Each structure stands twice: as C-alpha cells, then as structure tokens.
Amino acid sequence: MKYVLFICTPVGGVELSPEEIAGDPRFTSYIEEVRRRDLVKGGARLRPSSDATTVRVQGDEVLLSDGPFMESKEYVAGIDIIEVADLDEAIALASRHPAALAGGSVEVRPVWE
C-alpha cells in the first residue's frame, strides 16, 4: 500500500539545507535504510516556507498570499511517497524519521490507488 509522509518542521525551527541533510548522520542512515529496502517511491525536499504562495478562491476572485497557511505552528518541508505492507509499517517508518525525532512531525496519509 502507498502512503505519503508529510515531513513537517516547526515554524521558526532550524531549516537544514540539502547539503546539511546529506552530511547529517541521522538523515544519511535513515535514507540509506529506506533506499536499501526500496520503500521510497518518490518525494521531494521543499524550499523554505517563506518561498510559498498560498492560493485561495472566493467567488470569481483568486487571492494570493505569501508564505504557508496562516496560524500554522508547522509547515510541510518535504514529502516521501512510500510503499509498505500496511499502516503499521508506515507509522513505524515515520516514527524513525529524523524530522519527527527533532521536534517536527510526520503526517502519514494513504494514497488513493
């Protein structure tokens, strides 16, 4: 079954660059494991939330605002698309993600297939 892991970072938290992630043993060991087990089927590291544009539509008007959703304590910093046996395995994997261990969170959501 496929799941998306939404990697969430606290607003105001430390934003690691791709180079810093590549040099962090917590991330490198996690990434090596999921690649070796062929669990990750896609994903992306997102640019900082300050680069986001939020789109809302009210009637015929398209409203744009800079940044992530308002009133948020966390923002999505990346996604992983994984293929595992079931929700329990997805949760086990998410609970070992370095972002979750560093004060962020990982939302696990099944994919419609």
Side-chain angles (χ1 to χ4, degrees):
M1 185 157 195
K2 286 185 182 170
Y3 293 88
V4 172
L5 303 182
F6 292 95
I7 316 307
C8 302
T9 298
V11 171
V14 176
E15 177 80 30
L16 298 178
S17 69
E19 294 80 20
E20 291 171 311
I21 289 173
D24 185 325
R26 297 171 303 168
F27 279 93
T28 55
S29 65
Y30 178 85
I31 292 166
E32 286 172 10
E33 176 191 349
V34 297
R35 284 187 180 156
R36 179 178 36 78
R37 295 176 56 200
D38 194 31
L39 300 177
V40 175
K41 303 304 178 184
R45 174 82 170 105
L46 303 177
R47 304 254 329 151
S49 64
S50 58
D51 291 348
T53 301
T54 299
V55 178
R56 291 182 176 80
V57 177
Q58 291 182 349
D60 293 336
E61 189 176 5
V62 176
L63 306 173
L64 304 178
S65 59
D66 293 335
F69 299 110
M70 303 298 289
E71 306 293 323
S72 178
K73 294 182 191 244
E74 294 181 324
Y75 62 92
V76 178
I79 62 167
D80 287 341
I81 300 170
I82 61 171
E83 189 163 358
V84 293
D86 54 28
L87 179 59
D88 290 337
E89 188 175 359
I91 290 170
L93 189 63
S95 70
R96 294 194 321 272
H97 194 286
L101 298 173
S105 65
V106 177
E107 178 181 330
V108 177
R109 192 177 307 176
V111 173
W112 287 107
E113 293 189 87

XYZ file of all heavy atoms in Angstrom:
861
model
N 0.845 -1.175 0.000
C 0.000 0.000 0.000
C 0.887 1.233 0.000
O 1.929 1.252 0.649
C -0.892 -0.016 1.225
C -1.880 1.089 1.272
S -3.263 0.635 2.329
C -4.385 1.881 1.830
N 0.462 2.272 -0.724
C 1.247 3.503 -0.782
C 0.728 4.519 0.230
O -0.473 4.654 0.440
C 1.192 4.118 -2.181
C 2.016 3.367 -3.184
C 2.039 4.081 -4.514
C 2.828 3.261 -5.509
N 2.690 3.777 -6.861
N 1.693 5.233 0.826
C 1.410 6.303 1.769
C 2.294 7.492 1.419
O 3.389 7.325 0.873
C 1.737 5.888 3.213
C 0.837 4.802 3.746
C 1.147 3.466 3.553
C -0.314 5.115 4.451
C 0.325 2.461 4.034
C -1.136 4.114 4.944
C -0.808 2.787 4.735
O -1.618 1.807 5.215
N 1.821 8.683 1.773
C 2.649 9.877 1.681
C 3.016 10.268 3.103
O 2.164 10.301 3.990
C 1.906 11.038 0.984
C 2.715 12.325 1.063
C 1.612 10.691 -0.462
N 4.289 10.531 3.320
C 4.754 11.064 4.593
C 4.984 12.554 4.388
O 5.844 12.958 3.605
C 6.067 10.395 5.024
C 6.071 8.875 5.151
C 7.437 8.400 5.643
C 4.977 8.398 6.091
N 4.191 13.386 5.072
C 4.382 14.826 5.031
C 5.361 15.183 6.144
O 5.045 15.009 7.321
C 3.061 15.568 5.240
C 2.094 15.399 4.099
C 1.118 14.422 4.145
C 2.171 16.217 2.989
C 0.223 14.267 3.097
C 1.283 16.071 1.928
C 0.308 15.087 1.985
N 6.531 15.642 5.764
C 7.582 15.970 6.722
C 7.358 17.414 7.160
O 7.511 18.343 6.366
C 8.985 15.820 6.087
C 9.104 14.533 5.263
C 10.060 15.959 7.130
C 8.719 13.260 5.954
N 6.988 17.616 8.427
C 6.630 18.944 8.928
C 7.693 19.467 9.883
O 8.195 18.728 10.729
C 5.278 18.891 9.631
S 3.951 18.299 8.559
N 8.002 20.738 9.740
C 9.014 21.410 10.535
C 8.347 22.511 11.345
O 7.492 23.225 10.814
C 10.088 22.019 9.604
O 10.711 20.964 8.882
C 11.135 22.785 10.369
N 8.725 22.688 12.617
C 8.138 23.785 13.399
C 8.501 25.146 12.793
O 9.632 25.342 12.344
C 8.783 23.634 14.781
C 9.303 22.240 14.826
C 9.632 21.873 13.402
N 7.538 26.060 12.775
C 7.816 27.423 12.314
C 8.879 28.012 13.228
O 8.814 27.886 14.444
C 6.524 28.279 12.332
C 6.837 29.749 12.080
C 5.535 27.752 11.310
N 9.889 28.604 12.628
C 10.993 29.169 13.405
C 12.052 28.144 13.777
O 13.053 28.486 14.393
N 11.827 26.891 13.406
C 12.800 25.843 13.696
C 13.982 25.911 12.740
O 14.022 26.725 11.815
N 14.940 25.054 12.956
C 16.129 25.007 12.117
C 15.756 24.419 10.755
O 15.148 23.360 10.677
C 17.228 24.153 12.780
C 18.430 24.022 11.877
C 17.627 24.760 14.114
N 16.093 25.123 9.704
C 15.825 24.678 8.334
C 17.142 24.186 7.747
O 18.032 24.986 7.472
C 15.271 25.856 7.518
C 15.015 25.551 6.070
C 13.708 24.819 5.846
O 12.763 25.019 6.617
O 13.638 24.044 4.886
N 17.279 22.877 7.616
C 18.509 22.316 7.062
C 18.496 22.387 5.543
O 17.489 22.097 4.912
C 18.683 20.859 7.495
C 18.821 20.587 8.989
C 18.947 19.087 9.236
C 20.003 21.322 9.572
N 19.634 22.762 4.977
C 19.779 22.772 3.525
C 19.977 21.334 3.042
O 20.318 20.453 3.841
C 20.983 23.619 3.118
O 22.182 22.962 3.509
N 19.786 21.080 1.745
C 20.056 19.732 1.229
C 21.495 19.274 1.530
O 21.717 18.095 1.827
C 19.814 19.871 -0.275
C 18.803 20.969 -0.373
C 19.189 21.939 0.716
N 22.442 20.191 1.505
C 23.835 19.840 1.810
C 23.997 19.438 3.280
O 24.713 18.490 3.599
C 24.777 21.011 1.486
C 24.853 21.353 0.005
C 23.667 22.193 -0.502
O 22.970 22.839 0.317
O 23.434 22.157 -1.720
N 23.306 20.163 4.178
C 23.373 19.821 5.604
C 22.723 18.477 5.877
O 23.219 17.690 6.685
C 22.712 20.918 6.441
C 23.485 22.219 6.455
C 22.720 23.350 7.110
O 21.528 23.555 6.759
O 23.314 24.028 7.963
N 21.616 18.196 5.207
C 20.958 16.900 5.362
C 21.883 15.784 4.886
O 22.008 14.753 5.545
C 19.614 16.873 4.609
C 18.605 17.763 5.346
C 19.081 15.455 4.449
C 17.299 17.961 4.627
N 22.546 16.012 3.748
C 23.459 14.999 3.197
C 24.629 14.720 4.136
O 25.191 13.630 4.111
C 23.975 15.445 1.828
N 24.970 15.677 4.982
C 26.082 15.490 5.913
C 25.666 15.098 7.321
O 26.508 14.915 8.196
N 24.379 14.955 7.568
C 23.867 14.642 8.904
C 23.690 13.124 9.021
O 22.881 12.539 8.300
C 22.532 15.353 9.112
C 21.967 15.191 10.507
O 22.136 14.116 11.126
O 21.331 16.146 10.993
N 24.413 12.483 9.937
C 24.326 11.016 10.040
C 22.930 10.499 10.369
O 22.573 9.394 9.985
C 25.333 10.652 11.130
C 25.673 11.922 11.812
C 25.349 13.053 10.887
N 22.098 11.287 11.056
C 20.718 10.850 11.337
C 19.956 10.677 10.032
O 19.234 9.697 9.853
C 19.982 11.864 12.225
C 20.592 12.046 13.602
C 19.952 13.207 14.304
N 20.112 14.422 13.474
C 19.479 15.564 13.687
N 18.605 15.675 14.657
N 19.684 16.607 12.915
N 20.115 11.650 9.129
C 19.426 11.574 7.854
C 20.064 10.545 6.937
O 19.367 9.794 6.268
C 19.400 12.951 7.169
C 18.327 13.856 7.700
C 18.612 14.744 8.719
C 17.042 13.814 7.197
C 17.628 15.586 9.219
C 16.053 14.651 7.684
C 16.348 15.539 8.708
N 21.394 10.502 6.883
C 22.035 9.574 5.947
C 21.721 8.123 6.299
O 21.463 7.322 5.399
C 23.557 9.801 5.870
O 24.121 9.721 7.180
C 23.885 11.150 5.251
N 21.701 7.773 7.577
C 21.386 6.382 7.930
C 19.924 6.060 7.623
O 19.610 4.970 7.140
C 21.718 6.092 9.388
O 20.904 6.847 10.252
N 19.018 6.997 7.876
C 17.601 6.792 7.556
C 17.422 6.631 6.047
O 16.757 5.705 5.577
C 16.777 7.976 8.081
C 15.301 7.885 7.764
C 14.444 7.175 8.599
C 14.766 8.504 6.643
C 13.091 7.088 8.317
C 13.408 8.423 6.359
C 12.581 7.715 7.202
O 11.242 7.619 6.912
N 18.025 7.525 5.278
C 17.897 7.493 3.816
C 18.492 6.203 3.253
O 17.896 5.569 2.374
C 18.548 8.741 3.195
C 17.732 9.990 3.561
C 18.674 8.602 1.676
C 18.443 11.310 3.295
N 19.639 5.792 3.769
C 20.250 4.536 3.311
C 19.333 3.352 3.569
O 19.182 2.477 2.719
C 21.599 4.327 3.986
C 22.694 5.230 3.459
C 23.985 5.147 4.280
O 24.110 4.250 5.142
O 24.853 6.002 4.050
N 18.703 3.320 4.758
C 17.818 2.200 5.088
C 16.616 2.135 4.150
O 16.313 1.078 3.589
C 17.310 2.301 6.523
C 16.304 1.205 6.848
C 15.559 1.396 8.148
O 15.935 2.267 8.957
O 14.578 0.663 8.347
N 15.916 3.263 3.957
C 14.703 3.212 3.137
C 15.031 2.942 1.675
O 14.250 2.306 0.974
C 13.822 4.474 3.307
C 13.326 4.593 4.739
C 14.523 5.739 2.868
N 16.195 3.384 1.216
C 16.598 3.073 -0.163
C 16.984 1.605 -0.302
O 16.613 0.953 -1.278
C 17.759 3.970 -0.594
C 17.304 5.373 -0.906
C 18.406 6.207 -1.484
N 17.906 7.538 -1.769
C 18.661 8.603 -1.834
N 19.966 8.514 -1.657
N 18.134 9.775 -2.093
N 17.725 1.087 0.687
C 18.130 -0.321 0.646
C 16.907 -1.230 0.644
O 16.858 -2.229 -0.065
C 19.022 -0.636 1.845
C 19.485 -2.083 1.935
C 20.419 -2.353 3.115
N 20.145 -1.637 4.340
C 19.176 -1.950 5.223
N 18.377 -2.973 4.992
N 19.001 -1.241 6.320
N 15.885 -0.860 1.403
C 14.655 -1.650 1.486
C 13.679 -1.309 0.360
O 12.603 -1.887 0.281
C 13.991 -1.426 2.846
C 14.842 -1.959 3.997
C 14.248 -1.664 5.350
N 12.891 -2.185 5.472
C 12.015 -1.745 6.393
N 12.334 -0.805 7.239
N 10.812 -2.272 6.432
N 14.037 -0.358 -0.494
C 13.226 0.055 -1.645
C 11.817 0.475 -1.215
O 10.826 0.126 -1.845
C 13.157 -1.059 -2.696
C 12.615 -0.568 -4.026
O 12.827 0.618 -4.358
O 11.964 -1.362 -4.729
N 11.748 1.277 -0.141
C 10.456 1.721 0.370
C 10.006 3.043 -0.234
O 8.811 3.273 -0.390
C 10.516 1.873 1.895
C 10.848 0.614 2.694
C 10.945 0.933 4.171
C 9.821 -0.467 2.432
N 10.944 3.923 -0.548
C 10.593 5.243 -1.060
C 10.390 5.168 -2.568
O 11.257 4.711 -3.301
C 11.657 6.293 -0.696
C 11.340 7.640 -1.327
C 11.765 6.446 0.811
N 9.217 5.612 -3.011
C 8.855 5.566 -4.428
C 8.887 6.945 -5.069
O 8.683 7.086 -6.262
C 7.467 4.959 -4.595
C 7.344 3.567 -3.990
C 8.370 2.610 -4.554
C 8.278 1.240 -3.905
N 9.319 0.343 -4.371
N 9.125 7.963 -4.293
C 9.199 9.328 -4.790
C 9.201 10.280 -3.626
O 9.064 9.882 -2.475
N 9.370 11.540 -3.923
C 9.345 12.537 -2.872
C 10.094 13.777 -3.296
O 10.629 13.851 -4.407
N 10.117 14.742 -2.403
C 10.801 15.987 -2.702
C 11.091 16.740 -1.415
O 10.304 16.688 -0.463
C 9.945 16.856 -3.615
N 12.206 17.401 -1.413
C 12.552 18.339 -0.352
C 12.052 19.685 -0.843
O 12.352 20.100 -1.960
C 14.074 18.351 -0.161
C 14.571 19.367 0.808
C 14.440 18.834 2.240
N 15.128 19.725 3.149
C 14.495 20.572 3.954
N 13.185 20.610 3.971
N 15.172 21.363 4.745
N 11.262 20.370 -0.035
C 10.665 21.628 -0.460
C 11.527 22.819 -0.041
O 12.255 22.750 0.944
C 9.258 21.772 0.131
C 8.286 20.646 -0.215
C 6.959 20.868 0.493
C 8.092 20.547 -1.714
N 11.405 23.905 -0.794
C 12.081 25.150 -0.435
C 11.453 25.676 0.857
O 10.362 25.241 1.242
C 11.924 26.169 -1.561
C 12.433 25.671 -2.895
C 13.708 26.217 -3.391
N 13.976 27.580 -2.981
C 15.225 28.018 -2.836
N 16.239 27.234 -3.055
N 15.435 29.254 -2.483
N 12.097 26.605 1.554
C 11.548 27.122 2.818
C 10.137 27.688 2.661
O 9.745 28.149 1.584
C 12.525 28.234 3.194
C 13.791 27.903 2.484
C 13.375 27.212 1.206
N 9.387 27.671 3.757
C 8.002 28.143 3.714
C 7.913 29.611 3.332
O 6.886 30.055 2.802
C 7.318 27.907 5.058
O 7.947 28.675 6.068
N 8.969 30.368 3.531
C 8.961 31.780 3.134
C 8.867 31.934 1.615
O 8.498 33.001 1.119
C 10.210 32.493 3.655
O 11.374 31.846 3.165
N 9.177 30.881 0.871
C 9.070 30.905 -0.592
C 7.687 30.462 -1.078
O 7.439 30.442 -2.282
C 10.125 29.984 -1.232
C 11.533 30.509 -1.073
O 11.701 31.677 -0.668
O 12.473 29.747 -1.348
N 6.806 30.087 -0.159
C 5.486 29.562 -0.535
C 4.534 30.679 -0.946
O 4.655 31.817 -0.490
C 4.877 28.786 0.628
N 3.585 30.333 -1.787
C 2.457 31.191 -2.124
C 1.195 30.379 -1.885
O 1.073 29.271 -2.398
C 2.517 31.641 -3.598
O 3.730 32.352 -3.821
C 1.332 32.518 -3.957
N 0.284 30.920 -1.090
C -0.966 30.238 -0.801
C -2.058 30.815 -1.701
O -2.193 32.040 -1.808
C -1.344 30.399 0.686
O -0.302 29.818 1.478
C -2.656 29.710 1.005
N -2.809 29.948 -2.350
C -3.860 30.344 -3.285
C -5.214 30.001 -2.662
O -5.440 28.871 -2.230
C -3.705 29.602 -4.638
C -4.821 29.965 -5.594
C -2.335 29.859 -5.239
N -6.103 30.993 -2.650
C -7.477 30.787 -2.203
C -8.398 31.379 -3.269
O -8.025 32.342 -3.944
C -7.721 31.473 -0.865
C -6.985 30.835 0.292
C -7.308 31.554 1.609
N -6.683 30.887 2.725
C -5.416 31.012 3.079
N -4.627 31.795 2.387
N -4.918 30.358 4.102
N -9.582 30.828 -3.388
C -10.555 31.361 -4.342
C -11.816 31.714 -3.580
O -12.346 30.897 -2.828
C -10.864 30.323 -5.457
C -11.922 30.856 -6.399
C -9.593 29.952 -6.206
N -12.272 32.958 -3.774
C -13.535 33.409 -3.188
C -14.386 33.930 -4.329
O -14.085 34.986 -4.904
C -13.309 34.494 -2.140
C -12.624 33.982 -0.899
C -12.459 35.071 0.156
O -12.664 36.243 -0.093
N -12.064 34.648 1.347
N -15.406 33.165 -4.685
C -16.227 33.518 -5.836
C -15.386 33.453 -7.100
O -14.804 32.425 -7.409
N -15.305 34.569 -7.817
C -14.501 34.638 -9.039
C -13.113 35.204 -8.786
O -12.334 35.380 -9.720
C -15.212 35.512 -10.091
C -16.499 34.876 -10.583
O -16.610 33.635 -10.497
O -17.388 35.625 -11.040
N -12.816 35.521 -7.546
C -11.545 36.179 -7.221
C -10.517 35.162 -6.717
O -10.802 34.344 -5.842
C -11.784 37.251 -6.159
C -10.601 38.129 -5.912
C -10.918 39.246 -4.920
O -12.028 39.281 -4.357
O -10.017 40.066 -4.705
N -9.317 35.240 -7.287
C -8.197 34.413 -6.840
C -7.358 35.272 -5.901
O -6.875 36.345 -6.273
C -7.347 33.924 -8.038
C -6.135 33.141 -7.542
C -8.188 33.072 -8.970
N -7.215 34.801 -4.664
C -6.468 35.538 -3.651
C -5.141 34.838 -3.386
O -5.102 33.634 -3.143
C -7.267 35.617 -2.349
C -8.689 36.178 -2.470
C -9.424 36.032 -1.156
C -8.627 37.639 -2.903
N -4.060 35.596 -3.427
C -2.726 35.059 -3.189
C -2.155 35.681 -1.936
O -2.334 36.874 -1.676
C -1.794 35.378 -4.369
C -2.245 34.923 -5.753
C -1.235 35.374 -6.798
C -2.421 33.425 -5.788
N -1.449 34.869 -1.154
C -0.725 35.402 -0.010
C 0.635 34.724 0.056
O 0.777 33.548 -0.318
C -1.507 35.209 1.293
O -1.777 33.848 1.534
N 1.621 35.469 0.495
C 2.964 34.919 0.629
C 3.023 34.039 1.862
O 2.392 34.319 2.874
C 3.994 36.040 0.753
C 4.129 36.854 -0.521
O 3.827 36.296 -1.594
O 4.522 38.015 -0.444
N 3.795 32.987 1.758
C 4.016 32.110 2.899
C 3.014 30.972 2.970
O 2.124 30.856 2.139
N 3.183 30.144 4.002
C 2.314 28.965 4.162
C 0.967 29.372 4.755
O 0.689 30.551 4.942
C 3.117 28.094 5.130
C 3.869 29.087 5.952
C 4.207 30.224 5.012
N 0.154 28.377 5.079
C -1.147 28.629 5.668
C -1.009 29.503 6.909
O -0.047 29.386 7.665
C -1.831 27.305 6.051
C -2.063 26.413 4.882
C -1.341 25.238 4.729
C -2.989 26.739 3.918
C -1.547 24.416 3.649
C -3.206 25.921 2.831
C -2.484 24.758 2.698
N -1.975 30.355 7.134
C -1.961 31.250 8.295
C -2.172 30.449 9.580
O -2.746 29.372 9.564
C -3.078 32.294 8.155
C -2.970 33.114 6.866
S -1.454 34.082 6.757
C -1.782 35.310 7.981
N -1.716 31.016 10.680
C -1.944 30.440 12.011
C -1.349 29.043 12.162
O -1.834 28.239 12.918
C -3.441 30.384 12.345
C -4.162 31.707 12.227
C -3.707 32.723 13.259
O -3.425 32.326 14.402
O -3.620 33.908 12.912
N -0.311 28.766 11.442
C 0.281 27.436 11.478
C 1.491 27.415 12.404
O 2.284 28.340 12.411
C 0.697 27.038 10.057
O 1.310 25.787 10.067
N 1.617 26.346 13.177
C 2.791 26.174 14.029
C 3.850 25.313 13.347
O 4.972 25.231 13.794
C 2.378 25.539 15.356
C 1.499 26.451 16.174
C 1.146 25.818 17.486
C 0.116 26.564 18.144
N -0.142 27.227 19.126
N 3.436 24.637 12.275
C 4.341 23.802 11.485
C 4.037 24.038 10.017
O 2.967 24.520 9.675
C 4.136 22.318 11.788
C 4.509 21.889 13.172
C 4.286 20.396 13.365
O 3.323 19.842 12.822
O 5.090 19.804 14.087
N 4.974 23.679 9.179
C 4.742 23.734 7.744
C 5.354 22.499 7.118
O 6.242 21.867 7.682
C 5.324 25.009 7.122
C 6.823 25.130 7.262
C 7.669 24.658 6.273
C 7.382 25.707 8.390
C 9.042 24.752 6.406
C 8.759 25.810 8.529
C 9.581 25.341 7.537
O 10.936 25.430 7.676
N 4.850 22.131 5.950
C 5.353 20.961 5.242
C 6.687 21.332 4.605
O 6.762 22.266 3.811
C 4.353 20.471 4.179
C 4.926 19.285 3.409
C 3.025 20.089 4.827
N 7.726 20.599 4.962
C 9.074 20.862 4.446
C 9.464 19.872 3.353
O 10.426 20.094 2.629
C 10.089 20.798 5.590
N 8.732 18.774 3.245
C 9.034 17.774 2.226
C 8.028 16.653 2.275
O 7.199 16.580 3.188
N 8.089 15.802 1.260
C 7.205 14.636 1.219
C 8.014 13.417 0.780
O 8.973 13.543 0.023
C 6.006 14.823 0.271
C 6.476 15.033 -1.171
C 5.111 15.957 0.724
C 5.380 14.916 -2.202
N 7.637 12.280 1.287
C 8.140 10.997 0.817
C 6.927 10.171 0.409
O 5.939 10.120 1.143
C 8.880 10.222 1.915
C 10.235 10.800 2.252
O 10.792 11.559 1.428
O 10.739 10.500 3.351
N 6.995 9.534 -0.725
C 5.970 8.572 -1.128
C 6.582 7.201 -0.888
O 7.633 6.883 -1.440
C 5.578 8.751 -2.597
C 5.025 10.168 -2.812
C 4.560 7.686 -3.011
C 4.828 10.530 -4.264
N 5.950 6.426 -0.027
C 6.496 5.122 0.352
C 5.522 4.024 -0.041
O 4.321 4.262 -0.177
C 6.807 5.048 1.861
C 5.541 5.257 2.698
C 7.882 6.066 2.235
C 5.718 4.976 4.178
N 6.045 2.822 -0.203
C 5.202 1.648 -0.439
C 5.599 0.601 0.583
O 6.727 0.106 0.568
C 5.362 1.122 -1.855
C 4.338 0.063 -2.181
C 4.198 -0.189 -3.671
O 4.866 0.484 -4.476
O 3.423 -1.084 -4.012
N 4.663 0.316 1.490
C 4.894 -0.624 2.586
C 3.682 -1.545 2.698
O 2.677 -1.350 2.015
C 5.144 0.133 3.915
C 6.450 0.912 3.868
C 4.001 1.071 4.258
N 3.773 -2.515 3.591
C 2.705 -3.518 3.709
C 1.405 -2.941 4.238
O 0.323 -3.290 3.772
C 3.169 -4.669 4.593
N 1.500 -2.048 5.247
C 0.279 -1.565 5.891
C 0.583 -0.298 6.695
O 1.717 0.171 6.737
C -0.321 -2.645 6.799
C 0.668 -3.193 7.821
O 1.607 -2.472 8.228
O 0.512 -4.355 8.216
N -0.460 0.239 7.331
C -0.337 1.464 8.105
C 0.665 1.302 9.251
O 1.422 2.229 9.549
C -1.710 1.896 8.641
C -1.733 3.157 9.497
C -1.198 4.369 8.731
C -3.150 3.417 10.010
N 0.677 0.144 9.888
C 1.610 -0.071 10.994
C 3.058 0.113 10.540
O 3.862 0.735 11.238
C 1.436 -1.467 11.606
C 0.129 -1.597 12.374
O -0.423 -0.560 12.798
O -0.335 -2.744 12.544
N 3.398 -0.418 9.376
C 4.760 -0.270 8.870
C 5.045 1.187 8.497
O 6.139 1.699 8.732
C 5.004 -1.185 7.674
C 6.463 -1.195 7.243
C 6.763 -2.177 6.127
O 5.849 -2.902 5.657
O 7.929 -2.220 5.706
N 4.051 1.877 7.939
C 4.225 3.291 7.597
C 4.468 4.127 8.851
O 5.333 5.004 8.872
C 3.005 3.803 6.837
N 3.714 3.848 9.909
C 3.883 4.569 11.174
C 5.244 4.267 11.782
O 5.932 5.167 12.288
C 2.741 4.228 12.148
C 1.436 4.843 11.636
C 3.052 4.706 13.562
C 0.192 4.375 12.376
N 5.658 3.016 11.731
C 6.980 2.651 12.262
C 8.086 3.406 11.535
O 9.035 3.901 12.153
C 7.192 1.142 12.159
N 7.963 3.513 10.219
C 8.956 4.238 9.430
C 8.922 5.726 9.772
O 9.962 6.346 9.998
C 8.684 4.012 7.946
C 9.739 4.517 6.975
C 11.069 3.799 7.196
C 9.261 4.310 5.549
N 7.741 6.312 9.837
C 7.601 7.738 10.163
C 8.149 8.047 11.545
O 8.745 9.104 11.761
C 6.140 8.147 10.063
N 7.989 7.115 12.481
C 8.452 7.369 13.855
C 9.970 7.375 13.968
O 10.516 7.854 14.962
C 7.869 6.325 14.811
O 8.457 5.055 14.586
N 10.657 6.876 12.948
C 12.127 6.899 12.940
C 12.678 8.023 12.079
O 13.886 8.191 11.973
C 12.663 5.552 12.459
C 12.350 4.411 13.410
C 13.146 3.143 13.136
N 13.341 2.810 11.746
C 12.501 2.087 10.989
N 11.376 1.639 11.507
N 12.786 1.808 9.739
N 11.790 8.794 11.436
C 12.252 9.873 10.557
C 12.951 10.945 11.406
O 12.429 11.354 12.440
C 11.085 10.492 9.786
C 11.539 11.336 8.654
N 12.090 12.578 8.846
C 11.569 11.110 7.330
C 12.422 13.095 7.679
N 12.125 12.209 6.740
N 14.129 11.405 10.990
C 14.861 12.411 11.765
C 14.067 13.685 12.042
O 14.244 14.296 13.090
C 16.088 12.698 10.902
C 16.308 11.437 10.143
C 14.922 10.914 9.856
N 13.177 14.091 11.149
C 12.373 15.295 11.397
C 11.451 15.090 12.598
O 11.289 15.985 13.426
C 11.563 15.666 10.154
N 10.848 13.917 12.711
C 9.973 13.627 13.852
C 10.782 13.566 15.139
O 10.327 14.015 16.189
C 9.221 12.321 13.627
N 11.986 13.023 15.055
C 12.836 12.899 16.239
C 13.411 14.237 16.685
O 13.864 14.366 17.814
C 13.975 11.909 15.962
C 13.524 10.477 15.656
C 14.710 9.630 15.222
C 12.817 9.862 16.853
N 13.386 15.255 15.806
C 13.978 16.560 16.112
C 12.929 17.608 16.477
O 13.205 18.795 16.420
C 14.808 17.037 14.920
N 11.717 17.178 16.825
C 10.697 18.126 17.267
C 9.648 18.471 16.238
O 8.701 19.184 16.543
N 9.802 17.984 15.014
C 8.785 18.200 13.983
C 7.767 17.077 14.043
O 7.601 16.418 15.071
N 7.087 16.856 12.949
C 6.133 15.753 12.888
C 6.120 15.194 11.476
O 6.610 15.822 10.545
C 4.727 16.222 13.277
O 4.230 17.158 12.341
N 5.579 13.993 11.358
C 5.414 13.356 10.059
C 3.970 12.878 9.975
O 3.553 12.027 10.754
C 6.401 12.172 9.877
C 6.161 11.481 8.544
C 7.845 12.641 10.001
N 3.218 13.473 9.067
C 1.832 13.039 8.843
C 1.859 11.879 7.865
O 2.496 11.955 6.812
C 1.004 14.179 8.262
C -0.435 13.777 7.971
C -1.255 14.895 7.364
O -0.991 16.077 7.651
O -2.162 14.561 6.571
N 1.156 10.799 8.203
C 1.066 9.620 7.353
C -0.324 9.608 6.729
O -1.319 9.622 7.447
C 1.295 8.326 8.165
C 1.124 7.097 7.301
C 2.652 8.349 8.845
N -0.363 9.589 5.394
C -1.661 9.597 4.725
C -1.662 8.597 3.585
O -0.773 8.618 2.742
C -1.958 10.986 4.185
C -3.410 11.098 3.745
C -3.795 12.466 3.262
N -3.484 13.512 4.191
C -3.670 14.795 3.911
N -4.161 15.167 2.745
N -3.364 15.709 4.802
N -2.680 7.699 3.521
C -2.739 6.742 2.414
C -3.018 7.439 1.093
O -3.636 8.506 1.062
C -3.888 5.804 2.793
C -4.578 6.397 3.950
C -3.755 7.521 4.479
N -2.574 6.804 0.032
C -2.762 7.314 -1.332
C -3.911 6.548 -1.969
O -3.980 5.328 -1.862
C -1.465 7.128 -2.151
C -1.669 7.484 -3.608
C -0.327 7.936 -1.539
N -4.806 7.259 -2.649
C -5.860 6.595 -3.413
C -5.202 5.904 -4.600
O -4.440 6.501 -5.319
C -6.884 7.592 -3.949
C -7.807 8.154 -2.925
C -7.767 9.420 -2.423
C -8.902 7.516 -2.287
N -8.764 9.599 -1.509
C -9.479 8.437 -1.407
C -9.434 6.220 -2.372
C -10.587 8.120 -0.626
C -10.528 5.920 -1.580
C -11.090 6.860 -0.723
N -5.551 4.650 -4.825
C -5.000 3.921 -5.975
C -6.136 3.307 -6.758
O -7.143 2.973 -6.263
C -4.044 2.843 -5.513
C -2.802 3.455 -4.871
C -1.731 2.424 -4.599
O -0.948 2.188 -5.521
O -1.694 1.881 -3.495
